[in-house]
Amino acid sequence: MDCNYKSRLCFTVMSFFTGMLLFACNNDKPDADAAFTNITTNVTFSSFSVKNDIPIKKMGPQLGDVLDMQVMDSFLIVSTLRDSAVLQIIHIPSGTVAGHLISRGKGDNECLNIATILPTSDKNICWCYDITLGKFLKINVPKALSAAAYIPEKTFMLTPATKGAKSPSWINDSTFAACSYFMNDCRYFYFNSQDSGIRKAGQLPSPGKGWPDENPKGKFSLLATAYSANMKKHPTDDLFAVAYNVTGRMELYEGGKLKRLIKGPESFQPIYTFKYDGESNIPVQNSKTLFSNVQLKVTEKHIYLLYSGRNEFQTCGQKILVFDWQGNPLSMVNLNADYCSFTVEEKGNQSLIYLINKDTGELVSTSI
């Protein structure tokens, strides 16, 4: 709502706070990064090997307003904003639409917008997360494609203790991890479908100069909202990558502990207008806000970031940055056009990348 779930999805979350007054004050809190100097790496664009003139192949379907995409076996699962069904299933070899899943609505087996598609250890199974409703749905894709009227395998709702989850990852069918809009005392947290056994990990960066004080308990956390990030878990290991949306920063966690802090390739702090609604201070994006890692995907070997580096609400990117799980910068792919959603499949030494063109809405692919 990945922000990397597109600026429009973040706007949906923030649209509850209209008619607010401008608010600011001084803040001189210590720098939380000072303790991590020995595990901090600064990267620039020159840190990456550059891949230019990448051949782009059109796959056929036009899928504008895509929130998330995920490869599952021979299918591409795509979450869209406008269709009557929230998921489109694309058969990759033929480039054709194989089916539409989950009606858009607020009913038991419906949802409004799938912000995150969560792969699992089963190539046929994914979980889907509706950030608007705070709802999780378990989907068996082959079963769903063959069913006349498919009912999700399982659903559950977030509770007051876990609300505000952002960019969740699957650990097992009862345990998940996510960033949060409500928790200022951690970077991400673990939770389960029964709302018990919550564990927190990591910490947020320090507030910027002139930022207002933290919000009351139970409200949007000022720091967690200002430092919005996307998070992905390694497919098999207890490793997490956290890529920030409006500051040049990525964090790598192992066993719940920060093992590498990567700053760059461009260094800038979050730029917001802070507004006050009588109870809470809300950081609001504006035309000067610089966007960084607008989407994040991971495989067993690599971390892929769709990078913007622009303002004026440019939440799409023209570059893909590739790191390994130790945080080493590997390659930078220059796409030479704006792409708003992407996903990656690795086969041997080849990375197959699927993207949505911002201007045409076309699904395209390339390989590196």
Side-chain angles (χ1 to χ4, degrees), residues 2-313:
D2 256 21
C3 301
N4 138 314
Y5 298 122
K6 309 288 180 302
S7 179
R8 56 180 172 273
L9 193 55
C10 291
F11 176 78
T12 299
V13 175
M14 299 304 177
S15 62
F16 296 107
F17 304 96
T18 57
M20 298 177 285
L21 300 175
L22 186 63
F23 182 93
C25 68
N26 291 323
N27 196 318
D28 297 318
K29 294 182 180 179
D31 182 6
D33 289 346
F36 306 121
T37 302
N38 62 326
I39 58 170
T40 298
T41 300
N42 294 291
V43 302
T44 65
F45 288 129
S46 63
S47 305
F48 300 84
S49 64
V50 179
K51 297 181 181 294
N52 291 313
D53 302 319
I54 302 298
I56 300 293
K57 176 185 175 182
K58 295 182 179 180
M59 293 184 63
Q62 287 189 295
L63 303 167
D65 293 318
V66 169
L67 293 175
D68 198 14
M69 306 163 60
Q70 183 65 45
V71 176
M72 293 182 62
D73 197 17
S74 61
F75 296 105
L76 187 64
I77 316 303
V78 182
S79 166
T80 64
L81 271 172
R82 297 182 182 274
D83 296 337
S84 58
V86 295
L87 297 177
Q88 290 197 42
I89 314 300
I90 309 300
H91 182 240
I92 294 174
S94 65
T96 59
V97 178
H100 300 79
L101 303 181
I102 312 299
S103 297
R104 196 178 303 275
K106 298 182 180 180
D108 290 342
N109 300 309
E110 299 175 333
C111 61
L112 294 177
N113 293 301
I114 297 298
T116 310
I117 302 169
L118 292 66
T120 72
S121 58
D122 187 329
K123 66 179 182 180
N124 295 322
I125 301 290
C126 67
W127 281 82
C128 297
Y129 174 52
D130 182 337
I131 194 171
T132 308
L133 297 178
K135 186 175 187 177
F136 285 78
L137 305 92
K138 182 181 180 182
I139 308 295
N140 183 315
V141 174
K143 181 179 176 181
L145 288 174
S146 62
Y150 179 69
I151 297 176
E153 310 298 303
K154 184 178 179 181
T155 64
F156 73 89
M157 302 288 293
L158 293 178
T159 65
T162 56
K163 67 180 179 179
K166 179 186 186 294
S167 194
S169 292
W170 178 89
I171 298 175
N172 56 53
D173 273 0
S174 62
T175 308
F176 300 81
C179 295
S180 174
Y181 283 120
F182 284 78
M183 297 181 185
N184 67 346
D185 57 349
C186 64
R187 177 63 275 184
Y188 64 95
F189 69 104
Y190 296 85
F191 63 99
N192 62 36
S193 56
Q194 287 75 45
D195 188 27
S196 61
I198 293 175
R199 179 164 64 92
K200 298 178 180 180
Q203 67 184 70
L204 295 166
S206 300
K209 291 184 178 180
W211 286 19
D213 292 331
E214 184 52 68
N215 294 321
K217 186 177 180 180
K219 302 294 182 181
F220 273 86
S221 165
L222 186 145
L223 285 183
T225 306
Y227 286 114
S228 175
N230 293 322
M231 184 179 73
K232 297 291 181 185
K233 181 186 177 298
H234 186 277
T236 57
D237 300 335
D238 188 18
L239 305 174
F240 288 88
V242 181
Y244 286 64
N245 301 134
V246 293
T247 186
R249 182 185 183 101
M250 180 170 69
E251 298 166 356
L252 302 181
Y253 288 85
E254 182 175 10
K257 295 183 178 180
L258 182 65
K259 71 167 189 174
R260 180 65 59 188
L261 171 58
I262 298 103
K263 294 185 176 182
E266 295 176 298
S267 180
F268 52 83
Q269 292 300 308
I271 300 172
Y272 289 107
T273 300
F274 290 94
K275 296 188 176 181
Y276 185 62
D277 70 345
E279 290 185 324
S280 301
N281 301 301
I282 308 298
V284 180
Q285 297 167 3
N286 57 59
S287 61
K288 294 183 180 180
T289 301
L290 287 167
F291 294 90
S292 184
N293 306 306
V294 293
Q295 276 209 344
L296 162 70
K297 295 293 178 179
V298 302
T299 65
E300 288 192 7
K301 296 179 180 179
H302 299 117
I303 299 165
Y304 298 81
L305 304 175
L306 183 60
Y307 187 81
S308 171
R310 294 173 292 173
N311 57 6
E312 296 288 347
F313 301 100

Side-chain angles (χ1 to χ4, degrees), residues 341-355:
S341 294
F342 86 111
T343 193
V344 181
E345 177 185 22
E346 288 185 345
K347 292 185 175 181
N349 294 324
Q350 187 178 50
S351 298
L352 304 176
I353 305 175
Y354 304 94
L355 310 105

